[in-house]
Amino acid sequence: MLMTTREKNGPGYCLVIHGGVGTILQENMSAEKEKAYELSLEAALKAGEEILERKGSALQAVEAALRVMEDSPLFNAGKGSVFTHDGTIEMDASIMDGRTGAAGAVAAVSGIKNPISLALKVLQHSDHVMLMGKGAEQFARMHGCVFETEAYFHTDARYEQLQMAQQQDKVVLDHSGANTVMAGNVENGGRKLGTIGAVARDAAGNLAAATSTGGMTNKRFGRIGDTPLIGAGTYASNQNCAVSCTGHGEYFIKNVVAYDVAALMAYKGWSLQKAADYVINKKLKAQQAEGGLIAIDRWGNYIFTFNTEGMYRGVVEQGKAIETRIYQ
Amino acid sequence: MLMTTREKNGPGYCLVIHGGVGTILQENMSAEKEKAYELSLEAALKAGEEILERKGSALQAVEAALRVMEDSPLFNAGKGSVFTHDGTIEMDASIMDGRTGAAGAVAAVSGIKNPISLALKVLQHSDHVMLMGKGAEQFARMHGCVFETEAYFHTDARYEQLQMAQQQDKVVLDHSGANTVMAGNVENGGRKLGTIGAVARDAAGNLAAATSTGGMTNKRFGRIGDTPLIGAGTYASNQNCAVSCTGHGEYFIKNVVAYDVAALMAYKGWSLQKAADYVINKKLKAQQAEGGLIAIDRWGNYIFTFNTEGMYRGVVEQGKAIETRIYQ
């Protein structure tokens, strides 16, 4: 899944997804679980490819892929979202259209089955870019978004994570601990940084990016991470690239990571690979910040870049078979 | 208030503030009102300079300056905040330390007398960068922030603006209308884009930036603008510059304006003036996006850049008298 550098158009459409990064080690993963992740990633790629095949837009494709992952309990987004300190579910999502520069984002929304679809509705039907909380839920109702019950979002695995985190009085990034404050060995001894994302280039050459998350286990005080922030967790411009990030959100905010990759391409003329390597493996690593990103450039070059042991990820290119991977 | 370009250290500390931009025309402004704005800007600069004089940090200085403006009913932040659609006051603020890269931000907080001080407490005492709503208010209580009553935040001028906006069914950016959707002639026929901000360079050469706002009159759905978003409304790095923005927030988010100025300096080697001109007068203007920014670079060069008729603004440099200005 490594690309050679193209300097002209690639073979057509391409869709790239991730399901979070972390210390995802094969020795801690059962064959069944591995298979379940693979199947979920494949299903998400298929849903997006279906749209791209019939000349749908990159924007529609990234939404479709993330909807599938939001509906799976395996990923920290939608149904599989982690619990806050108060035992509630608060989700964030954002989406950006590289063709027009339009963007939509929602923060701290509850009960919405597919936050990424709400973010898309904000992009399409609101003069605003970012809506939050009860107000965003009111907007969702007005625009026909599907709501689900508390029971729908309750998964036993996530509830156990909350209880473990509260016993340790820790905030946990999904199934994670990015530094001492957030230390905690959860889910098979592996630390994982939740968040799901997708980037795509459609047959017309347009780019889009989308990201969705349930945030951090045991999070308090209305914490917002990088996922709903345009420029930090998500960015797309047909001029250079589309980016979706996952990792220790606070560092991604302070380093404006998604836009930084685009800026390095635009202002220094760097390749996507070089720009992403610099941001993830130099800048963030120097700050002991764990995470990664997926991105695609205007020519169809795509990358998976992360400074952790693993990343749930996959790609489908026009005329090629779906590929998925978990470990380094 | 135009600077020559320095390529080595300036004469010491420097503090720059703004109180929003818009169609602020002298013919619509009474002499009394003009004087009131001047005095408020001077008081803010004095409060910040007092800190810089006794070797306080740029971070403390920008907070001190914005506290004074938040306490004034003249600016759309703190006491002078505009009303939401539901007649409530919801404020946003963010602050960033160019020395450490640390940042704090709060979104949609109510009842907090000085949101900028809450943002600073998030920077200092939280592992998170961004907190919102009730959770942020809970954090504020735990850290001894001063709360005020609804009556404190109620100003008749803002309430009239809300009623006017609701009659027209418009969303108004402070006292403003940045495009057709937000059209509306408020406050003496002048359109103004609220938000207050400060950037500073202290005697030790450290930079900081801070921004605070009451948002848009008649805003709905938990709208969040660029003010609490690191990279969009606020950014600071000792490597290049500190920036605080004001204007039509949605465009500032999509264009990641504050960080874009820093990126142009870092990656293209442009001067602060050239970078800010490009972003405000080329990029944003091409999108019909109204607004501006204040910024200061590592050498102490400072700028006021806006594509509107006026900007409430002021500056104080070590060893020089305070200057304030309103029109172009």
Side-chain angles (χ1 to χ4, degrees), chain A residues 101 108 127-132 135-136 142 181 220-224 250 254 259-260 264 267-268 283, chain B residues 101 108 127-132 135-136 138 142 181 221-224 250 254 256 259-260 264 267-268 283:
Chain A
D127 297 316
H128 303 318
V129 167
M130 187 169 186
L131 305 181
M132 55 144 254
M142 286 171 60
V181 177
R220 293 181 74 180
F221 307 126
R223 179 255 186 187
I224 298 180
E250 278 68 18
K254 291 184 286 186
Y259 184 68
D260 202 27
L264 283 163
Y267 302 149
K268 277 183 111 70
K283 266 187 162 177
Chain B
D127 296 317
H128 303 318
V129 167
M130 189 169 185
L131 306 181
M132 57 144 253
Q138 192 189 342
M142 286 172 60
V181 178
F221 307 126
R223 179 255 186 188
I224 298 179
E250 278 68 17
K254 292 184 286 186
V256 202
Y259 184 69
D260 201 27
L264 284 163
Y267 301 148
K268 276 183 109 71
K283 265 186 162 177

Side-chain angles (χ1 to χ4, degrees), chain A residues 114-176:
Chain A
N114 294 108
I116 198 61
S117 300
L118 175 54
L120 181 56
K121 283 189 193 294
V122 173
L123 182 154
Q124 291 167 328
H125 304 299
S126 170
D127 297 316
H128 303 318
V129 167
M130 187 169 186
L131 305 181
M132 55 144 254
K134 298 285 163 226
E137 292 159 24
Q138 192 189 342
F139 181 87
R141 260 177 228 107
M142 286 171 60
H143 288 87
C145 285
V146 177
F147 280 69
E148 286 289 353
T149 60
E150 270 185 45
Y152 170 83
F153 291 101
H154 182 102
T155 55
D156 289 342
R158 299 305 190 197
Y159 197 69
E160 277 164 33
Q161 283 173 23
L162 173 63
Q163 290 175 314
M164 205 186 301
Q166 289 188 332
Q167 275 162 21
Q168 300 174 8
D169 196 23
K170 303 289 187 211
V171 175
V172 179
L173 286 163
D174 170 18
H175 2 223
S176 151

Side-chain angles (χ1 to χ4, degrees), chain A residues 203-248:
Chain A
N206 296 311
L207 305 183
T211 317
S212 178
T213 192
M216 298 162 80
T217 295
N218 201 26
K219 71 180 172 189
R220 293 181 74 180
F221 307 126
R223 179 255 186 187
I224 298 180
D226 63 312
T227 299
L229 305 188
I230 298 301
T234 303
Y235 184 76
S237 166
N238 276 9
Q239 299 305 306
N240 33 65
C241 61
V243 184
S244 170
C245 299
T246 173
H248 193 158

Side-chain angles (χ1 to χ4, degrees), chain A residues 57-73:
Chain A
S57 68
L59 190 68
Q60 293 169 303
V62 292
E63 183 216 10
L66 290 202
R67 282 176 67 96
V68 172
M69 296 171 85
E70 283 178 341
D71 291 346
S72 160

